Amino acid sequence: MSWRTVIISSTAKLDYQMGYLVIRKDDVTKIHLSEIETVMIESTSVSLTAALLCELTKKKIKVIFCDEKRNPSSELISYYGAHDTSLKVRNQIAWTDDIKKHVWTEIVAEKIRKQALHLQHWKCKEADLLYQYINEIECGDVTNREGHAAKVYFNALFGMDFTRSAENVTNAALNYGYSLLLSTFSRCVVANGYITQLGLFHDNVFNQFNLACDLMEPFRPLVDLKVKKMAFPFFEKEEKHEMVSLLKEEVTIGNRNEYLTNAIKIYTRSVFDALNDNDVSQIKFYRTNEL
């Protein structure tokens, strides 16, 4: 089944009898809930029914709310993601520092590898330095090869004057794409019965999504690649819709082609298996033609 991301910018309600999401704008659009994976509430002027929101939560459909600038600002998360959530949380608390460090090391190495492949795609010589950083990674990335790689990577990709803190179109597009990834990963964490606050490396007490932040790292270069390819002159409604389409692109994982959203599920489950079985070899990473 081809699951989809639905963007709502007007009025929406639930058709109880048929199980459809009904969107009213100039025309009436009906989409069966079984076909939906994510709903994005694009505007603060959108009108929704409580019945719809409750049913979306029951069906484990991710709901993302945007602010007055149409940027993702919050999301709806179910209290109960799985029937054995209590057991999963106990397991999560029991993960040892040792296995968390080893899993984090694998995640960081794969992120830098994907960044290096991305630079190679654009024939940037700095890719060689990133491969060197991979060889220098120590357990838990105590020497912060991830941070060193990020600086080299973004300067090679977007220019020596580029910084992630600047307010510009490129950063707006990157932030939007990263927020979509974060939301998708937090949905997977909860759906698997774990809690997003307890991370492997990220441990900010004010961050509700530490674990999702950890897991998404190797997927960030997919956002970077799309932003680089599109070279947005500005970042408005149509450009945001283009970024949302990233979730429907195909990648290879486990020797199969999968939509990105499904690949995220497979990868996330494999990380949890690695953590629970103390075996990092179980982690499944994605591949694309460029990455």
Side-chain angles (χ1 to χ4, degrees):
M1 178 183 294
S2 175
W3 285 9
R4 59 194 288 191
T5 297
V6 176
I7 300 174
I8 301 177
S9 57
S10 53
T11 300
K13 68 176 185 178
L14 174 69
D15 181 332
Y16 260 119
Q17 283 190 318
M18 303 301 293
Y20 281 96
L21 167 64
V22 181
I23 303 172
R24 297 184 182 278
K25 199 173 182 183
D26 297 330
D27 299 313
V28 176
T29 302
K30 293 185 177 183
I31 308 166
H32 200 272
L33 295 184
S34 64
E35 299 178 13
I36 304 172
E37 183 161 62
T38 303
V39 171
M40 177 171 285
I41 313 302
E42 192 180 37
S43 166
T44 54
S45 63
V46 170
S47 176
L48 302 167
T49 63
L52 172 61
L53 292 176
C54 287
E55 196 64 20
L56 292 173
T57 303
K58 288 179 185 177
K59 300 290 186 184
K60 298 182 181 179
I61 297 171
K62 171 63 66 179
V63 181
I64 304 172
F65 297 94
C66 294
D67 60 19
E68 69 281 357
K69 296 181 180 179
R70 297 177 182 267
N71 292 322
S73 62
S74 60
E75 59 188 57
L76 192 62
I77 298 179
S78 172
Y79 279 151
Y80 309 105
H83 68 280
D84 57 351
T85 293
S86 296
L87 175 61
K88 296 288 184 63
V89 172
R90 288 193 191 103
N91 291 340
Q92 184 176 3
I93 294 171
W95 293 337
T96 65
D97 288 341
D98 185 61
I99 187 58
K100 287 193 288 186
K101 286 179 181 178
H102 279 88
V103 169
W104 177 243
T105 303
E106 293 295 316
I107 288 173
V108 168
E110 185 64 18
K111 176 186 180 180
I112 299 175
R113 186 175 295 110
K114 289 291 192 286
Q115 289 175 328
L117 287 168
H118 189 194
L119 292 184
Q120 271 187 260
H121 175 73
W122 300 105
K123 296 180 170 55
C124 297
K125 65 182 186 302
E126 290 84 354
D128 294 336
L129 183 55
L130 266 62
Y131 284 122
Q132 179 182 323
Y133 286 152
I134 294 173
N135 295 327
E136 295 173 355
I137 293 177
E138 298 179 23
C139 186
D141 192 28
V142 292
T143 59
N144 193 27
R145 295 299 91 183
E146 180 194 19
H148 290 289
K151 179 173 176 53
V152 172
Y153 170 72
F154 281 112
N155 286 152
L157 201 59
F158 297 116
M160 293 303 295
D161 295 332
F162 178 82
T163 63
R164 282 288 292 124
S165 59
E167 292 189 10
N168 53 45
V169 171
T170 298
N171 274 324
L174 291 174
N175 292 339
Y176 192 88
Y178 295 155
S179 68
L180 293 176
L181 283 182
L182 179 61
S183 180
T184 304
F185 271 96
S186 65
R187 175 188 184 275
C188 284
V189 170
V190 173
N192 277 280
Y194 299 93
I195 55 178
T196 60
Q197 288 89 343
L198 300 180
L200 308 176
F201 172 76
H202 291 85
D203 63 354
N204 189 325
V205 296
F206 302 108
N207 182 4
Q208 299 183 49
F209 307 108
N210 285 312
L211 185 53
C213 288
D214 290 328
L215 299 179
M216 69 179 277
E217 293 296 346
F219 288 74
R220 286 178 179 267
L222 288 170
V223 173
D224 308 336
L225 176 63
K226 192 167 190 68
V227 171
K228 176 72 172 176
K229 279 183 174 180
M230 299 305 296
F232 297 118
F234 41 80
F235 195 65
E236 301 297 339
K237 182 177 180 179
E238 293 304 317
E239 291 73 30
K240 290 174 181 177
H241 287 191
E242 182 63 35
M243 288 303 300
V244 171
S245 72
L246 172 66
L247 299 175
K248 288 190 65 177
E249 293 184 6
E250 287 192 356
V251 301
T252 302
I253 188 168
N255 296 318
R256 292 179 56 180
N257 290 338
E258 302 279 359
Y259 286 114
L260 180 58
T261 49
N262 203 40
I264 288 173
K265 293 177 185 177
I266 294 169
Y267 158 75
T268 301
R269 284 196 299 267
S270 76
V271 173
F272 292 145
D273 289 341
L275 287 160
N276 291 321
D277 297 340
N278 288 290
D279 182 6
V280 295
S281 68
Q282 296 191 46
I283 302 176
K284 297 177 181 178
F285 293 112
Y286 73 91
R287 293 181 291 106
T288 70
N289 290 334
E290 295 94 345
L291 306 179

